[in-house]
Amino acid sequence: MAQWTSAVGAAQLARLLNSQQDRPAGGATRRPPAYRALADGIRLLVLEGRVPVAARLPAERELALSLSVSRTTVAAAYEALRAEGFLESRRGAGSWTAVPAGNPLPARGLEPLPPETLGSMIDLGCAALPAPEPWLTRAVQGALEELPPYAHTHGDYPAGLPALRAMIAERYTARGILTMPEQIMVTTGAMGAIDAICHLFGGRGERIAVESPSYANILQLMREAGARLVPVAMAEGLTGWDMDRWRQVLRDAAPRIAYVVADFHNPTGALADEDQRRRLVEAARSAGTVLVADETMTELWLDDVSMPRPVCAFDPAGSTVVTVGSASKAFWAGMRIGWVRAAPDVIRSLVAARAYADLGTPVLEQLAVNWLFSTGGWEHAVELRRGQARENRDALVAAVRRELPSWEFEVPRGGLTLWVRAGGLSGSRLAEVGERVGVRVPSGPRFGVDGAFEGYVRLPFTVGGALAEEAATRLAAAARVVESGGSGGGESPRTFVA
């Protein structure tokens, strides 16, 4: 019986491997043998989760043809991977990826590290900050006071608590987009909202247009749903979208869904202007594409910014634009409350589908968010969050500029992330070596399609002060190892107490 559970084609694996060579390490002079380079490339793909564990690899001859190398090179690379525990084989069943005994399974998303590891590892993988106290505690206390009447019911509210739906609708109306409670569904975070939207509109094999780069966890969610991702390159710098490219993709590919983050885009921090928003809505409407606008970062402006109108302002009825919001980024990641704003018939379809998914969102957390919205606590908490993120951003920018002067980036005016071109180094290798020296950083290819952005890393505004300086110092140590062509195996992380 075969031990593999999925398969990676020769052409796909070749694209992923070739992307690692787009930006060779600037200071490296030693070139490993071809078989060693190939084995290292496959190992990196497995460690980053871009090739799953237990995925059947192509036959030696097929991969050799796709890579234009000899079959001997591929055979030697496979043998090296078997010796290291990253490949298993059986006659008649082929070869499939594995991880050595004792190694944790690689994550395909950007989940936070367990709290017990934080003494020795600086986590720059997850763009989330601690709760803005005392507002979390006050919100939960307020929710407990409101809970008794709901405790006498069955507790299932597939569309969300009526009071919270009405409050969210009022907030959109206050922003200039007339909204009824019937246009709102409360979800379990933004991820739950987008998952429901993809299942309603997408279906296996459907095309979804996405910004390139885009949020890694959403891209992986869409891949797992069987979508065919169509990347659309961002405009240069922090100027938002390239509308010529978007019009061409929507016209030629006719994707069923387009997913965008217009407000302080994750990972670049770009802010789309009002004209781009209007033109994208018009193009989506003409193409018959459902435009999913992710607003999870919309309240996280860190500088004096004149915010454009929301994307849904150009489609107030919600027939083309489906808007997703969340408390997780602006307030706290542990508050798993999100919402969808769309046309009432779309909301009814999403609600009906919940009977086969999660049935509803926790009542107590909905009451806590409703307390924040109705008392003004939300505004106070988000202002505190902006202050934390602003201080962290400024500290991280200063530290990276000092320790890694060849790394290039533009400082965003909002959001939670810095998108960095890593001075000609491989982001995948930086991520691997970084873990060895005590800093966890996601590589650029996690935010792209088919291995794009190998020369980038994403740095979130989650650490500040001395911890930001230490993170930059460790990144610089990892960069020196990658430049020298080493693996970083001799480094050991220091315990850091903030």
Side-chain angles (χ1 to χ4, degrees), residues 126-281:
C126 183
L129 289 162
E133 288 287 32
W135 297 105
L136 174 62
T137 298
R138 292 180 182 177
V140 173
Q141 291 171 341
L144 288 171
E145 293 176 1
E146 298 293 332
L147 182 62
Y150 294 94
H152 295 292
T153 72
H154 50 62
D156 286 335
Y157 295 87
L161 294 184
L164 181 56
R165 295 177 73 196
M167 183 60 67
I168 294 170
E170 285 181 21
R171 291 175 65 85
Y172 276 106
T173 299
R175 294 168 67 190
I177 306 102
L178 184 63
T179 302
M180 303 178 294
E182 291 79 9
Q183 290 179 263
I184 302 296
M185 180 178 82
V186 181
T187 63
T188 308
M191 291 288 289
I194 294 169
D195 182 58
I197 293 165
C198 287
H199 280 88
L200 178 63
F201 291 108
R204 187 163 293 274
E206 290 280 5
R207 293 185 181 92
I208 300 180
V210 294
E211 296 147 328
S212 183
S214 187
Y215 178 36
N217 286 344
I218 293 296
L219 294 180
Q220 191 57 37
L221 181 154
M222 293 172 175
R223 291 187 188 102
E224 297 290 346
R228 298 163 59 190
L229 301 182
V230 183
V232 186
M234 298 288 289
E236 290 298 318
L238 300 179
T239 55
W241 301 318
D242 184 326
M243 282 310 306
D244 290 337
R245 289 174 174 161
W246 270 105
R247 277 197 303 269
Q248 181 179 356
V249 166
L250 294 178
R251 182 183 65 243
D252 297 346
R256 185 71 182 93
I257 299 172
Y259 169 76
V260 297
V261 185
D263 300 317
F264 309 119
H265 173 260
N266 186 355
T268 68
L271 178 65
D273 64 36
E274 192 158 302
D275 183 60
Q276 289 171 335
R277 297 165 191 241
R278 175 184 55 77
R279 292 163 64 193
L280 184 58
V281 172

Side-chain angles (χ1 to χ4, degrees), residues 285 289-290 315-321 342-343 346:
R285 185 181 293 116
T289 297
V290 175
D315 178 50
S319 57
T320 296
V321 178
V346 171

Side-chain angles (χ1 to χ4, degrees), residues 258-486:
Y259 169 76
V260 297
V261 185
D263 300 317
F264 309 119
H265 173 260
N266 186 355
T268 68
L271 178 65
D273 64 36
E274 192 158 302
D275 183 60
Q276 289 171 335
R277 297 165 191 241
R278 175 184 55 77
R279 292 163 64 193
L280 184 58
V281 172
E282 292 173 352
R285 185 181 293 116
S286 296
T289 297
V290 175
L291 182 61
V292 179
D294 185 333
E295 286 193 336
T296 52
M297 297 283 187
T298 194
E299 295 189 68
L300 291 176
W301 64 84
L302 307 183
D303 298 329
D304 187 13
V305 181
S306 178
M307 291 296 293
R309 285 183 292 169
V311 176
C312 61
F314 304 96
D315 178 50
S319 57
T320 296
V321 178
V322 176
T323 303
V324 172
S326 172
S328 298
K329 293 297 185 186
F331 184 75
W332 184 47
M335 188 68 76
R336 305 306 305 162
I337 297 295
W339 52 86
V340 178
R341 181 198 182 276
D345 62 317
V346 171
I347 295 298
R348 286 193 293 270
S349 297
L350 289 169
V351 170
R354 293 193 89 167
Y356 312 101
D358 62 359
L359 291 177
T361 303
V363 169
L364 189 62
E365 291 185 30
Q366 291 186 73
L367 289 172
V369 172
N370 192 59
W371 183 92
L372 288 166
F373 285 159
S374 61
T375 62
W378 177 266
E379 284 68 28
H380 289 291
V382 173
E383 184 58 36
L384 180 59
R385 168 68 76 238
R386 292 191 196 106
Q388 292 173 319
R390 186 183 302 112
E391 290 179 6
N392 290 354
R393 178 197 64 181
D394 296 345
L396 185 65
V397 165
V400 172
R401 282 176 171 164
R402 182 181 62 251
E403 298 291 337
L404 294 151
S406 66
W407 287 21
E408 305 169 49
F409 54 85
E410 291 188 55
V411 181
R413 303 174 70 185
L416 290 174
T417 56
L418 194 67
W419 184 238
V420 181
R421 189 190 298 268
L425 302 179
S426 161
S428 297
R429 287 173 170 79
L430 282 167
E432 181 193 22
V433 177
E435 295 242 5
R436 298 171 189 247
V437 301
V439 59
R440 179 177 183 249
V441 56
S443 68
R446 287 181 175 270
F447 304 88
V449 177
D450 280 345
F453 307 109
E454 181 60 46
Y456 290 79
V457 292
R458 189 195 75 169
L459 306 180
F461 311 144
T462 51
V463 296
L467 196 56
E469 294 177 6
E470 178 67 12
T473 299
R474 295 186 187 186
L475 282 172
R480 289 192 294 272
V481 172
V482 174
E483 285 177 335
S484 70

Side-chain angles (χ1 to χ4, degrees), residues 20 32 35-45 81 84 429:
Q20 297 175 338
Y35 85 90
R36 185 68 259 172
L38 176 55
D40 287 347
I42 294 174
R43 177 173 54 83
L44 276 173
L45 293 173
L81 290 168
E84 296 163 4
R429 287 173 170 79

